[in-house]
Amino acid sequence: MVRRLLMILSLALGGASEMDRRMSCQWKKNGILLTVMAVVTAVGQFSTARHLQGQLLQKIRTEASGEVAPETDPPPDKKKNRSDDHHRSHDHRDHGNDWSLIGFFFNQNGKRNSGHRDCEYENDIDYEIYSSSAPKSPVLFAGRPYALGRGILLDENAVLAGQKSQWRAAFWYGTDFHQIDSWNLHGRYENSSVIGFDFQWAHLTEKLLGLPDDHLNLGDFNLTTRLIESEDLILRLGAGGNFLSDRNASFAGYNLTSSIDWFPVEPVVLSFEIDYGKVGSIHQTHLLATAGVTRNHLEFLTGYESRKLGSTVLSGPLLGIRAWW
C-alpha cells in the first residue's frame, strides 16, 4: 500500500515538473516571437522615416530646375497677393531711400567741388600732400602661417625673406550623421596685388535605404580682393559663379563671397567664409567655419559647414587638412 502511494506521488510530481517545463518552453518561444516582431516593427518604422526624409538631393534638383513641389508652392493667388502687398508697401519707401542717398552723394560732391572752386589755395595744398605721400610697399607672404611673423603676411622688416604669391589647398570630409556625406576641395591663390582667386567643389552623397546612393556636385569660383590685410587678419570680398551638376543636368548662377583668415596665436588659424548666390532657380547660402593647428606647411582642421539650397538645409561638422605653400 505504501509503495503504491509513493508511486502515485512520484508520478504526480513528475507530471507537474514536466508541465512546468513545457510551460516554460512555451513562454520562451512567445518571448522570442514578441522580440522578433518588435525588431521588425522598429526597422519598418525607421525605413519609412528614412524614405519620408530621404531624397533631399532630388528635391534640390527639382527646385533648381524650376519645378516646385506642390506642398512647398503657395497657391498662386496668395503668393501674388503677398508679392503685391510687399511691393505696394515698400516701393515708395525704397525709391525714396535710393534717391535720398543719391542726392546726398551728389550734394556732398557738389560741396567739395564748390569748395575747391572757391578756394584754389586749399586745392593746391591737398594736391601737394597727396603727391608727396610715399608709395605703399608691395605685400609679401611668408609661405606658411607663422613662418616669419605673426601670420601669413610679412611686416616691413621681413620683406626680403617673403614670396610674391601664396597658394593653399584644403580637403575635408563632412557629414550630417544621418544620410548626407560630402567630400570637399577648396583652393585659394593670392599675390602681391589685392586681387586673388578661390574655388570650392563639393561631392554630396545621399544614403537611401533600399535604393542606390544618390550623388550631386556643387561648386563655386570667385575673383576676390583684400579689403583688410595685416599680419593677424585678412578680410576679402569677391564675386563669381555657382554650379550644380550630376549625370543628368547642370545649372549655373552667380555667387557673392566674403572670407576672413585670423591668426590669433601660433599655431592656431581660424577661417570663416560666407557665400550667397543663385544656382538654377534657387538661392544658395553657404557658411563655413574652421579652426586649425599648423605644423610646418600643413594645417589640421575641424569645423562646421552649412548650406541652404532652396528649401533644403544640409549641415554638419567636418574634419580635414590644408596645405600652405
Side-chain angles (χ1 to χ4, degrees):
M1 187 67 180
V2 175
R3 289 181 178 178
R4 291 182 180 180
L5 291 176
L6 292 175
M7 290 178 61
I8 293 172
L9 183 60
S10 63
L11 290 174
L13 293 175
S17 61
E18 181 67 20
M19 184 178 299
D20 292 341
R21 188 180 64 81
R22 291 180 179 179
M23 292 181 64
S24 177
C25 292
Q26 186 65 31
W27 277 108
K28 289 180 180 179
K29 291 180 181 180
N30 292 338
I32 294 173
L33 181 60
L34 291 174
T35 303
V36 172
M37 293 178 61
V39 171
V40 171
T41 303
V43 171
Q45 291 179 351
F46 178 75
S47 174
T48 304
R50 285 291 297 271
H51 280 292
L52 291 176
Q53 298 175 5
Q55 303 199 9
L56 297 178
L57 300 187
Q58 181 58 38
K59 181 180 178 182
I60 293 172
R61 288 191 199 91
T62 302
E63 294 183 351
S65 65
E67 302 176 5
V68 182
E71 63 272 14
T72 60
D73 189 13
D77 54 344
K78 293 183 179 180
K79 184 166 63 174
K80 184 176 183 302
N81 292 337
R82 286 200 299 269
S83 177
D84 293 342
D85 294 340
H86 174 76
H87 286 296
R88 283 196 297 269
S89 62
H90 290 283
D91 278 349
H92 178 71
R93 184 176 60 190
D94 291 344
H95 287 300
N97 291 337
D98 293 341
W99 283 111
S100 62
L101 290 175
I102 295 173
F104 175 78
F105 175 79
F106 281 109
N107 288 337
Q108 295 300 316
N109 284 338
K111 290 179 181 179
R112 287 196 294 269
N113 293 334
S114 62
H116 286 302
R117 287 194 300 268
D118 294 339
C119 185
E120 296 180 358
Y121 179 70
E122 292 181 0
N123 190 26
D124 293 340
I125 293 177
D126 292 341
Y127 176 78
E128 292 175 1
I129 292 174
Y130 287 116
S131 63
S132 62
S133 60
K136 184 180 179 181
S137 300
V139 173
L140 296 180
F141 300 87
R144 61 182 176 86
Y146 303 107
L148 300 171
R150 292 179 298 180
I152 194 67
L153 295 180
L154 300 180
D155 58 15
E156 297 178 356
N157 299 324
V159 293
L160 297 179
Q163 58 189 44
K164 294 183 179 180
S165 62
Q166 178 71 54
W167 286 89
R168 73 188 72 175
F171 178 77
W172 68 83
Y173 166 78
T175 180
D176 65 352
F177 292 114
H178 180 53
Q179 61 191 111
I180 300 293
D181 297 330
S182 66
W183 297 97
N184 301 263
L185 180 65
H186 182 271
R188 186 183 301 279
Y189 169 77
E190 294 182 290
N191 54 33
S192 297
S193 67
V194 296
I195 302 299
F197 172 85
D198 77 349
F199 72 91
Q200 181 176 346
W201 170 78
H203 180 71
L204 306 180
T205 300
E206 182 177 10
K207 302 173 184 177
L208 300 174
L209 193 62
L211 296 173
D213 292 348
D214 196 3
H215 302 278
L216 190 65
N217 295 298
L218 295 171
D220 62 73
F221 50 91
N222 308 281
L223 286 176
T224 62
T225 179
R226 295 191 300 273
L227 294 185
I228 298 176
E229 45 187 19
S230 67
E231 296 178 35
D232 299 332
L233 183 69
I234 300 176
L235 170 64
R236 309 175 192 85
L237 291 180
N242 285 316
F243 69 86
L244 182 155
S245 66
D246 61 5
R247 63 183 180 275
N248 296 322
S250 297
F251 306 95
Y254 70 87
N255 187 59
L256 304 175
T257 183
S258 176
S259 63
I260 295 175
D261 287 328
W262 182 29
F263 308 90
V265 61
E266 187 175 1
V268 177
V269 178
L270 302 178
S271 300
F272 308 92
E273 181 175 335
I274 179 171
D275 299 277
Y276 177 79
K278 193 173 184 180
V279 56
S281 299
I282 59 176
H283 288 87
Q284 175 183 215
T285 303
H286 175 227
L287 303 175
L288 175 66
T290 63
V293 176
T294 62
R295 182 172 177 82
N296 294 328
H297 289 271
L298 296 180
E299 175 191 352
F300 302 93
L301 58 89
T302 185
Y304 193 84
E305 185 174 27
S306 178
R307 293 180 184 272
K308 186 176 186 299
L309 291 151
S311 60
T312 304
V313 177
L314 309 175
S315 59
L318 62 91
L319 186 67
I321 189 171
R322 179 181 287 123
W324 303 71
W325 70 93

